[in-house]
Amino acid sequence: TGRLVPVASPSTLSVIFTAFTVPTMMSAGRLFNVVPTRFKAEAVKETIYGKISETCPATICRTHPDATLYLDRDSAELILK
């Protein structure tokens, strides 16, 4: 099962953008998803609580046996209430 790990500040992270297809991503032994900023708060909420579907591709990460989601307070604001 996945883990939710709060991150103190997005400024502590290096900014690297990489895109993978879903099958490629899901074939990885471990997934580390880093989601900083309030801009992604709704997507984080949908990823955690929404139906697993193509509408929100990140929801598939919930089915990965070793996935970790790293959030800052802003990106987690809708799930911390």
Side-chain angles (χ1 to χ4, degrees), residues 18-80:
T18 306
F20 298 101
T21 63
V22 171
T24 299
M25 180 180 69
M26 294 302 288
S27 70
R30 295 180 75 188
L31 290 181
F32 299 92
N33 298 289
V34 180
V35 186
T37 80
R38 181 169 291 131
F39 177 71
K40 293 291 185 176
E42 188 62 42
V44 167
K45 179 181 174 185
E46 185 67 21
T47 297
I48 293 173
Y49 297 116
K51 177 182 173 186
I52 295 174
S53 72
E54 292 178 8
T55 304
C56 182
T59 57
I60 196 69
C61 295
R62 295 192 336 237
T63 68
H64 193 281
D66 196 2
T68 304
L69 180 59
Y70 293 91
L71 307 172
D72 65 4
R73 288 188 190 276
D74 290 336
S75 63
E77 73 179 0
L78 299 178
I79 63 169
L80 294 176

